[in-house]
């Protein structure tokens, strides 16, 4: 029965009434739909907004009926999904944004930053969003996101000739957006967890021989130890930085990534325990000038995967590292091991006292004042492009196969450790991966089993 208003007039009767829902004070309320009136010619649906707990009304938009609006609000409340096409405006701030896939993409990028994903990773995902997702489905409301929309993005990318690797990255970006939409937040999820706009959408790279994982490094792409040693020796007589043989040796037998190698300082070398402390990565601002000498270069005090680690170096590398550290610390090139160790300890102590957490490795020093192990003419580590130019001089001089990139020296280190009898668990610690990820690079169960069975098969 319709209630009487304060002005004595009879209230309009609801044409539809939703299920009872609890209020914060212990009572109940219901979603109600009201037929068109002179002041609301399309009708309206009245409900309590879950974010403000205030009575709110919604009216049908273009091509919407009153029943559709009512059903959508009831469904959203049941599934704890945000109501409306826009986020509520905040007092004193700009109006709320439209809950479309462009806005969801920005939420996804913000979440990656919160997770401390690397700058390169976030930039990669932003590029995919801007080029392949936003122009195609960016204006689609998240609540309307369908399998057809997702498939359209993947199909367009494949038709445009995007590599299988990048298509997979594109699919994983859509997957990350889906997880972001499903995540509970103030005002409700942007998409019900029952909704899967990627169902049956295929974007992964197919496996190759005998079920190998997509990241598997085939034997033909793994440099042999003889080839690695020959490359290091050849570098000593070629027109490249005098430290190139050393950095190649560390890559091939200690497994730091290129960015981690360029970020190494004298204070990151523990000459007493004979190991590297991998605790940072070298970055170059890709938005600055193309000229490598003008681009901002800086050190980020955290490795690529966010985990610091240690990696042992060879006994044969020890004397060279003492010299390299002495040069970096501006000591005489032939300074004794004891003097270099003392200088490293003193510098670590100085930085620990200056850092708010007492962590010498995290203290941010001006790049021009860091005791870098590997520098170019400007006094700081080179850009990746400049480094690769130097590597190509070496590669071309010794007829190194072009299908084996410099980064595969790191793969050599992991396999060389294994050949020396170390367990995968320990190698994973030194390499900076978990065991499962590490083995995906090198182990195929079927191939490994066939190799072990070879002797028995030969006798049959």
């Amino acid at each position: 029965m319709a209630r009487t208003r304060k002005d004595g007039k009879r209230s309009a009767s609801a044409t539809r009434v939703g299920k009872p829902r609890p209020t914060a004070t212990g009572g109940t309320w219901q979603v109600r739909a009201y037929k068109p009136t002179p002041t609301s010619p399309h009708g309206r649906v009245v409900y309590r907004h879950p974010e403000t707990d205030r009575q709110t009304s919604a009216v049908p938009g273009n091509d919407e009926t009153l029943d559709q609006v009512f059903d959508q609000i009831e469904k959203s409340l049941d599934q704890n999904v945000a109501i409306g096409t826009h986020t509520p405006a905040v007092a004193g701030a700009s109006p709320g944004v439209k809950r479309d896939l462009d806005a969801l993409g920005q939420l996804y990028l913000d979440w990656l930053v919160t997770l401390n994903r690397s700058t390169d990773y976030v930039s990669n995902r932003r590029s995919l969003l801007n080029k392949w997702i936003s122009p195609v489905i960016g204006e689609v409301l998240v609540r309307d996101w369908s399998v057809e929309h997702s498939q359209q993005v993947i199909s367009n990318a494949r038709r445009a000739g995007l590599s299988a690797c990048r298509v997979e990255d594109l699919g994983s970006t859509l997957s990350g957006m889906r997880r972001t939409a499903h995540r509970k937040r103030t005002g409700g999820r942007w998409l019900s967890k029952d909704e899967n706009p990627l169902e049956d959408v295929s974007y992964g790279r197919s496996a190759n021989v005998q079920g190998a994982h997509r990241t598997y490094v085939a034997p033909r792409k793994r440099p042999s130890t003889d080839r690695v040693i020959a490359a290091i020796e050849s570098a000593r007589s070629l027109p490249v930085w005098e430290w190139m043989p050393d950095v190649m040796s560390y890559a091939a037998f200690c497994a730091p990534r290129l960015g981690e190698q360029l970020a190494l300082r004298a204070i990151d070398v523990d000459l007493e325990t004979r190991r590297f402390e991998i605790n940072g990565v070298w970055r170059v601002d890709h938005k600055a000038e193309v000229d490598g000498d003008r681009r901002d270069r800086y050190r980020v005090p955290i490795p690529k995967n966010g985990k610091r680690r240690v990696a042992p170096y060879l006994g044969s590398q020890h004397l060279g590292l003492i010299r390299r550290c002495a040069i970096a610390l501006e000591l005489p090139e032939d300074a004794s091991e004891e003097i270099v160790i003392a200088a490293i300890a003193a510098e670590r102590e100085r930085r620990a006292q200056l850092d708010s957490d007492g962590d010498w490795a995290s203290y941010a020093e001006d790049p021009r004042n860091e005791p870098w192990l590997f520098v170019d003419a400007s006094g700081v580590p080179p850009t990746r492009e400049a480094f690769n130019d130097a590597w190509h001089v070496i590669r071309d001089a010794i007829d190194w196969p072009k299908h084996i990139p410099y980064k595969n020296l790191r793969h050599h280190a992991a396999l060389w450790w294994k050949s020396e009898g170390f367990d995968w668990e320990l190698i994973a610690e030194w390499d900076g991966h978990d065991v499962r990820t590490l083995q995906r690079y090198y182990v195929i169960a079927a191939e490994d089993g066939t190799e072990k069975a070879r002797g028995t098969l030969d006798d049959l």
Side-chain angles (χ1 to χ4, degrees):
M1 183 175 180
R3 294 173 296 177
T4 302
R5 302 188 326 191
K6 291 182 180 180
D7 60 6
K9 295 182 179 180
R10 199 166 183 78
S11 299
S13 298
T15 58
R16 292 185 66 182
V17 179
K19 66 178 66 174
R21 301 179 187 278
T23 65
T25 58
T28 61
W29 69 276
Q30 294 166 289
V31 178
R32 298 175 184 272
Y34 295 94
K35 63 183 179 181
T37 65
T39 57
S40 182
H42 300 289
R44 61 195 176 97
V45 177
V46 179
Y47 64 98
R48 282 180 179 268
H49 198 286
E51 189 167 352
T52 63
D53 199 35
R54 294 180 178 178
Q55 184 168 288
T56 309
S57 63
V59 298
N62 295 332
D63 301 325
E64 276 188 318
T65 66
L66 189 62
D67 284 337
Q68 287 175 331
V69 175
F70 180 91
D71 291 338
Q72 180 65 48
I73 291 176
E74 277 283 286
K75 179 180 178 181
S76 297
L77 290 169
D78 286 341
Q79 298 178 339
N80 190 27
V81 175
I83 297 175
T85 60
H86 289 72
T87 60
V90 179
S94 58
V97 299
K98 190 176 181 181
R99 288 193 182 99
D100 56 17
L101 290 174
D102 276 342
L104 180 63
Q106 186 57 54
L107 280 181
Y108 169 60
L109 294 177
D110 293 342
W111 180 247
L112 293 180
V113 173
T114 301
L115 295 178
N116 290 322
R117 299 306 296 262
S118 70
T119 303
D120 286 348
Y121 186 92
V122 177
S123 296
N124 175 284
R125 292 307 190 251
R126 180 178 290 107
S127 174
L128 290 168
L129 279 163
N130 291 341
K131 186 171 183 179
W132 300 104
I133 298 177
S134 181
V136 181
I137 60 173
E139 295 183 355
V140 173
L141 293 176
V142 174
R143 73 181 189 189
D144 299 330
W145 185 10
S146 67
V147 172
E148 287 72 20
H149 291 127
S150 301
Q151 187 60 59
Q152 183 182 3
V153 170
I154 299 299
S155 298
N156 284 355
R158 285 185 169 136
R159 281 195 297 270
L162 201 65
S163 70
C165 177
R166 291 293 281 168
V167 169
E168 185 171 55
D169 288 345
L170 181 59
S172 70
T173 301
L174 289 170
S175 178
M177 292 172 63
R178 176 187 57 188
R179 290 194 299 272
T180 302
H182 285 165
R183 190 169 295 116
K184 186 176 180 180
R185 56 173 37 85
T186 302
R189 299 180 176 90
W190 281 24
L191 188 68
S192 168
K193 298 192 78 171
D194 295 334
E195 300 286 342
N196 180 14
L198 288 174
E199 186 176 6
D200 297 328
V201 176
S202 177
Y203 54 83
R205 284 180 281 178
S206 59
N208 49 35
V209 62
Q210 294 183 313
H213 190 266
R214 63 178 179 79
T215 57
Y216 177 67
V217 181
R220 65 184 179 82
K221 292 188 176 181
R222 308 173 187 176
S224 67
T225 299
D226 289 344
R227 186 183 293 278
V228 167
I229 293 175
I232 293 171
E233 291 304 315
S234 297
R236 302 187 191 282
S237 59
L238 294 172
V240 292
W241 293 296
E242 60 90 16
W243 45 258
M244 276 296 287
D246 290 342
V247 77
M248 291 168 58
S249 177
Y250 305 146
F253 293 98
C254 307
R257 301 175 179 89
L258 177 56
E260 295 167 347
Q261 293 170 54
L262 298 179
L264 283 173
R265 307 161 298 179
I267 55 175
D268 299 321
V269 182
D270 192 330
L271 294 171
E272 294 183 288
T273 59
R274 302 196 176 193
R275 63 186 188 180
F276 291 110
E277 298 199 17
I278 311 295
N279 54 40
V281 65
W282 186 238
R283 298 284 187 207
V284 178
D285 186 358
H286 291 282
K287 295 182 180 180
E289 297 285 343
V290 175
D291 184 349
D293 290 336
R294 293 194 209 171
R295 292 159 69 184
D296 291 334
R297 309 182 218 174
Y298 53 95
R299 186 181 193 275
V300 178
I302 189 168
K304 177 181 178 180
N305 61 358
K307 297 179 181 179
R308 295 180 181 178
R309 68 184 190 278
V310 299
Y313 59 80
L314 308 183
S316 58
Q317 295 171 330
H318 186 63
L319 292 178
L321 270 170
I322 295 173
R323 172 181 172 273
R324 185 66 53 200
C325 289
I327 295 172
L329 292 165
E330 298 182 343
L331 297 171
E333 189 173 324
D334 58 353
S336 68
E337 180 176 353
E338 292 75 16
I339 291 176
V340 177
I341 289 175
I344 291 173
E347 181 59 16
R348 287 186 176 187
E349 178 63 25
R350 183 187 75 85
R351 293 177 184 231
Q353 292 177 359
L354 294 172
D355 186 77
S356 58
D357 294 326
D359 182 4
W360 63 265
S362 293
Y363 178 70
E365 185 66 86
D366 188 315
R368 293 168 296 182
N369 298 330
E370 288 281 15
W372 303 111
L373 294 185
F374 315 114
V375 298
D376 61 15
S378 65
V380 297
T383 64
R384 287 174 179 265
E385 293 87 348
F387 184 91
N388 283 331
D389 287 344
W391 162 247
H392 292 161
V393 170
I394 299 169
R395 183 194 69 183
D396 296 342
I398 62 172
D399 197 27
W400 180 284
K402 290 186 178 181
H403 64 265
I404 303 181
Y406 178 84
K407 68 178 182 180
N408 283 21
L409 291 176
R410 171 174 155 81
H411 296 308
H412 170 271
L415 291 166
W416 182 81
W417 279 327
K418 186 61 179 174
S419 71
E420 293 296 312
F422 297 105
D423 294 333
W424 283 121
E425 289 77 8
L426 186 56
I427 296 172
E429 292 284 341
W430 294 342
D431 195 73
H433 285 301
D434 59 73
V435 177
R436 184 178 179 182
T437 299
L438 183 74
Q439 291 187 325
R440 283 174 175 173
Y441 281 106
Y442 312 115
V443 177
I444 307 176
E447 182 184 67
D448 188 49
T450 300
E451 183 178 347
K452 290 180 179 179
R454 188 66 261 169
T456 301
L457 295 170
D458 286 342
D459 293 334
L460 297 178

